[in-house]
Amino acid sequence: MCRLIAITSKDYLSPQRAANGLAVMSEGYDGSGVGILLRDIGGPFANMKNIPVLSGIFSSAGLKRLDRFMMDLGFTTKYKVTFKTNGTRPAGIPHRDVYLVRAYDYPTDWEDYTDDQRLRELMPIRLKLRQMGEAQKDMVVFSFWPDTIMIKEVGDPVAVAEYLQLDRRDLTARVIMLQGRQNTNHEIDLYACHPFFLEGYATMTNGENTAFIQNREFLMSRGFAGYRGYMSDSEVFTHSLHYFISYLGLGLECYKHGVTPLTDDAICKHPNHAFLKHLKHTCRNLIIDGPNCVIGCLPDTTLFMVQDRKKLRPGVIGGTDGIFVFSSEICGLDAVIPHRDKKKDFQPMHLDTAIVGPQRRRVDLICQSDPLLAN
């Protein structure tokens, strides 16, 4: 199984703090990989919230190709983070030339674009870079989006964090999502490592999705270019989240109703029964199967946790005003916030969507039996 930990904080934190929380759950993952997502990022990036940040791994040749490609599009480098490793590459980590995090100024010919128009142009660029890297095996691009950094690597999560020296002043964030395991169901591929990210939406999952094929085929049939990849059966959780909220314009509670709908009998008793019956029918191919605990992040940095109907994967939320932790195990929560009111820790059940908003004041709860919120 995987182990997950996510932190949302009013103060900027080092990703090392999340790595410390994952470390105490080491018996629950196999040390095969790690993925880290940083949102609402700090340090030098705190004053660059609206410009895109590219994250990836490059060979020397790939970096040159990236530079030519981005210059041809008119992007200019605003700031970059250079990872200086500790010099002792852990076993299992391949040689890498460059771990890159780079913020770009938009092309001058985009000056008349609206913010939405600029954002719509970013995802196709990321997909093109991924395609270029897959063809030449010289670049892996994880994200290209404002206020976002993604780092992934094979190997033990704690060893990777130490190797990349993630505890540094220019690499902090208010939202940190970290997962400890590669997808080991097939050949290791960095794109298969959680968290997954698409246009401001992110998820990571402890579990498996046996309905993956029908989920994937439904999403790919929508005609949206971003619904592609799928090196892991869990990537559909991110794309389904994007589909329900961004594509269909529904609220977060509809994500839970979409992927784990109520039984037909329960829908008949629900205040919004007509809508939920229609949603279940039209989006039936997005219903998931198998044990899952999903932690997700919305574009406004809201964190949430949902469970499958049988609640066969652990998940707990705890904290205090200003900082909350979502964790696979209580020991991970203890490692990050040892001094909290533990009586307020909360473990979502199968009907729950547990939410901590950008204000980081409390854990809010939406139950599937409740009336839908007005959008």
Side-chain angles (χ1 to χ4, degrees):
M1 292 193 293
C2 308
R3 286 297 180 266
L4 318 172
I5 194 160
I7 306 174
T8 181
S9 169
K10 66 180 181 181
D11 299 318
Y12 290 111
L13 301 176
S14 166
Q16 185 62 49
R17 188 159 177 181
N20 294 341
L22 190 68
V24 300
M25 297 186 282
S26 59
E27 292 184 0
Y29 57 84
D30 58 11
S32 59
V34 62
I36 305 170
L37 177 68
L38 307 180
R39 300 291 318 283
D40 198 353
I41 48 183
F45 296 98
N47 296 319
M48 308 177 197
K49 295 293 186 182
N50 297 318
I51 63 174
V53 181
L54 187 144
S55 306
I57 300 175
F58 296 81
S59 70
S60 296
L63 186 60
K64 292 178 181 178
R65 286 212 300 150
L66 170 73
D67 290 341
R68 289 194 298 269
F69 179 81
M70 298 302 285
M71 284 190 292
D72 287 345
L73 291 177
F75 285 91
T76 55
T77 298
K78 176 79 170 181
Y79 184 82
K80 68 177 180 179
V81 170
T82 301
F83 286 90
K84 295 181 180 179
T85 67
N86 64 11
T88 305
R89 180 157 50 93
I93 297 181
H95 170 76
R96 313 287 192 188
D97 289 336
V98 180
Y99 294 90
L100 181 69
V101 174
R102 182 185 286 172
Y104 286 94
D105 279 324
Y106 285 109
T108 55
D109 58 1
W110 290 22
E111 288 179 356
D112 294 333
Y113 288 10
T114 65
D115 290 342
D116 287 343
Q117 286 176 320
R118 291 190 188 98
L119 292 177
R120 282 198 297 269
E121 295 293 331
L122 297 181
M123 185 266 295
I125 293 172
R126 176 183 61 81
L127 293 179
K128 177 60 178 177
L129 288 170
R130 175 171 174 169
Q131 182 183 34
M132 290 167 56
E134 289 174 335
Q136 299 292 329
K137 309 299 182 185
D138 58 359
M139 62 177 80
V140 184
V141 177
F142 302 125
S143 59
F144 183 51
W145 196 257
D147 208 16
T148 302
I149 293 174
M150 180 87 79
I151 303 165
K152 298 185 180 185
E153 187 52 281
V154 297
D156 179 82
V158 176
V160 170
E162 293 175 351
Y163 176 61
L164 296 180
Q165 302 187 85
L166 297 183
D167 192 11
R168 45 192 293 170
R169 286 184 295 180
D170 59 353
L171 196 65
T172 60
R174 290 193 177 111
V175 173
I176 304 169
M177 298 174 64
L178 192 152
Q179 187 258 15
R181 184 176 180 264
Q182 253 285 347
N183 185 332
T184 51
N185 295 329
H186 52 70
E187 183 180 354
I188 286 179
D189 188 300
L190 289 176
Y191 286 120
C193 188
H194 314 214
F196 302 103
F197 182 84
L198 177 63
E199 294 191 330
Y201 297 88
T203 67
M204 56 186 182
T205 307
N206 177 17
E208 59 181 310
N209 180 18
T210 55
F212 165 62
I213 299 298
Q214 68 187 46
N215 296 164
R216 180 191 64 187
E217 297 307 312
F218 178 88
L219 288 163
M220 293 180 67
S221 72
R222 301 303 91 184
F224 180 73
Y227 300 155
R228 55 153 291 175
Y230 303 117
M231 301 302 297
S232 165
D233 61 7
S234 296
E235 192 167 7
V236 296
F237 289 102
T238 305
H239 294 184
S240 295
L241 178 66
H242 179 279
Y243 179 75
F244 282 111
I245 299 179
S246 182
Y247 193 101
L248 296 182
L250 302 175
L252 176 59
E253 71 274 22
C254 290
Y255 176 62
K256 185 73 166 71
H257 278 290
V259 297
T260 58
L262 297 169
T263 63
D264 290 343
D265 288 344
I267 288 178
C268 289
K269 301 173 185 177
H270 196 279
N272 306 100
H273 58 88
F275 173 77
L276 292 182
K277 183 178 180 180
H278 178 69
L279 183 70
K280 183 176 181 178
H281 174 73
T282 56
C283 297
R284 61 190 179 277
N285 285 330
L286 288 182
I287 297 172
I288 65 171
D289 192 16
N292 281 286
C293 172
V294 180
I295 297 173
C297 183
L298 302 184
D300 68 354
T301 70
T302 292
L303 275 187
F304 70 90
M305 178 185 288
V306 296
Q307 302 275 355
D308 68 277
R309 289 188 60 190
K310 300 181 180 67
K311 199 183 183 306
L312 294 176
R313 289 292 186 267
V316 62
I317 304 168
T320 186
D321 186 13
I323 180 170
F324 289 87
V325 171
F326 294 53
S327 177
S328 293
E329 298 181 17
I330 291 177
C331 63
L333 177 52
D334 289 340
V336 180
I337 315 178
H339 304 296
R340 68 185 192 282
D341 186 351
K342 297 183 180 181
K343 295 190 296 294
K344 295 183 179 180
D345 291 352
F346 181 72
Q347 298 187 50
M349 301 305 290
H350 73 284
L351 294 178
D352 299 332
T353 300
I355 302 166
V356 175
Q359 297 78 23
R360 289 107 179 174
R361 292 173 182 164
R362 62 184 180 273
V363 179
D364 291 316
L365 189 65
I366 300 175
C367 182
Q368 282 184 271
S369 60
D370 295 337
L372 297 178
L373 302 175
N375 292 328

